[in-house]
Amino acid sequence: MNLTVLNNSLIEHKVSLIRNKETGTKEFREIISEISTLLCYEAMKDAKLEEVEIETPICKTTAKILKEDNYAFVPILRAGTGMLDGLLNVIPNAKIGHIGLYRNEETLTPVKYYYKMPKDINEREAIVLDPMLATGGSACDTIKCLKNDGVKKIKFLCIIAAKPGIERLQKEHPDVDIFAAKVDEYLNENGYIIPGLGDAGDRIFGTK
Ligand code: PRP
Ligand code: URA
């Protein structure tokens, strides 16, 4: 199974706070960022490390460190940028690629309006960021673009993953590991996750 769900009471508590429509933009943004950091820790659980010689205040020793410039974070505009700080807090040297997609409100298919990746993206592991995995269209299109660019290792991090989106992503890209804070069952007729948290972009940027 390539789906990891953060099973933790504190995360459950934080997700409940952002589900609440009374939670304002500032707190919403802060919690998205906090949860994103924790998703990043989970996604890096088995990351390759390299050995270096260092000196502690007491003695010389061999230590293992992460090769930070192996990674590219790829937030899906707009809402994915809300997760970026949470990851950069812990892996500050990653490069960043942007993809702009919005969902056509009638067909729910994603429309691409921007794409700019680091030049050496094909040599990096891509960590795709989007708080919401609903139908899975935006995630699948993003991953397709990255694979077309030669990216071989991709992970997808989200706050809420809906079952239809998980199924589609697993079917179209079984090689991509998915990390989610919470799984929801359904989408409504407008493609919104139930119970979800509403429109993540609007809530992060205060546009509605
Ligand atoms: C939202 C969300 C995802 C997408 C998920 O973006 O941030 O990108 O919908 O839906 P899907 O799994 O059905 O593709 P939206 O289109 O609302 O754009 P925005 O981030 O600019 O608000
Ligand atoms: N995009 C969102 O922002 N929220 C949803 O519930 C579904 C897609």
Side-chain angles (χ1 to χ4, degrees), residues 103 132 134 191-193 198-201:
R103 292 199 308 177
M132 310 302 274
Y192 277 89
I193 299 175
D199 186 306

Side-chain angles (χ1 to χ4, degrees), residues 76 99 101 110 128 130 133 135-148 154 156 164-174 176 178:
I76 303 179
I99 180 165
L101 295 175
V128 179
D130 195 323
L133 179 66
T135 65
S138 306
C140 285
D141 281 13
T142 300
I143 290 163
K144 204 163 143 199
C145 290
L146 291 168
K147 286 184 174 174
N148 280 341
I154 302 173
F156 180 81
I166 297 171
E167 275 163 29
R168 179 166 169 190
L169 191 47
Q170 286 179 327
K171 188 158 170 251
E172 290 187 24
H173 300 287
V176 171
I178 307 168

Side-chain angles (χ1 to χ4, degrees), residues 40-178:
C40 184
Y41 274 102
E42 195 60 35
M44 290 294 151
K45 205 153 86 177
D46 302 319
K48 268 204 194 132
L49 300 173
E50 58 181 7
E51 286 199 346
V52 290
E53 298 301 316
I54 59 160
E55 207 170 332
T56 74
I58 314 296
C59 66
K60 286 189 177 168
T61 186
T62 308
K64 291 178 180 175
I65 58 163
L66 191 74
K67 218 169 158 225
E68 289 192 38
D69 34 306
N70 274 348
Y71 299 94
F73 298 147
V74 181
I76 303 179
L77 304 177
R78 289 177 300 169
T81 59
M83 298 176 70
L84 194 53
D85 275 0
L87 274 81
L88 288 172
N89 280 341
V90 285
I91 308 186
N93 290 318
K95 291 273 192 305
I96 299 157
H98 291 91
I99 180 165
L101 295 175
Y102 68 87
R103 292 199 308 177
N104 175 306
E105 281 178 13
E106 269 139 43
T107 64
L108 298 182
T109 32
V111 180
K112 185 163 98 177
Y113 60 89
Y114 188 74
Y115 188 76
K116 182 87 181 170
M117 292 299 140
K119 228 181 6 212
D120 58 354
I121 187 75
N122 60 326
E123 291 163 18
R124 291 170 178 272
E125 175 173 335
I127 315 278
V128 179
L129 311 175
D130 195 323
M132 310 302 274
L133 179 66
T135 65
S138 306
C140 285
D141 281 13
T142 300
I143 290 163
K144 204 163 143 199
C145 290
L146 291 168
K147 286 184 174 174
N148 280 341
D149 275 353
V151 181
K152 285 164 230 49
K153 189 140 199 260
I154 302 173
K155 288 179 175 150
F156 180 81
L157 273 52
C158 62
I159 306 289
I160 297 188
K163 285 198 171 160
I166 297 171
E167 275 163 29
R168 179 166 169 190
L169 191 47
Q170 286 179 327
K171 188 158 170 251
E172 290 187 24
H173 300 287
D175 54 318
V176 171
D177 290 326
I178 307 168

Side-chain angles (χ1 to χ4, degrees), residues 6-30:
L6 299 182
N7 245 331
N8 175 296
S9 300
L10 184 57
I11 304 276
E12 177 97 33
H13 165 73
K14 296 282 180 179
V15 172
S16 303
L17 293 178
I18 54 175
R19 283 191 195 282
N20 188 340
K21 66 176 185 177
E22 301 302 333
T23 299
T25 305
K26 177 176 180 288
E27 193 183 356
F28 188 90
R29 236 187 250 142
E30 286 168 354

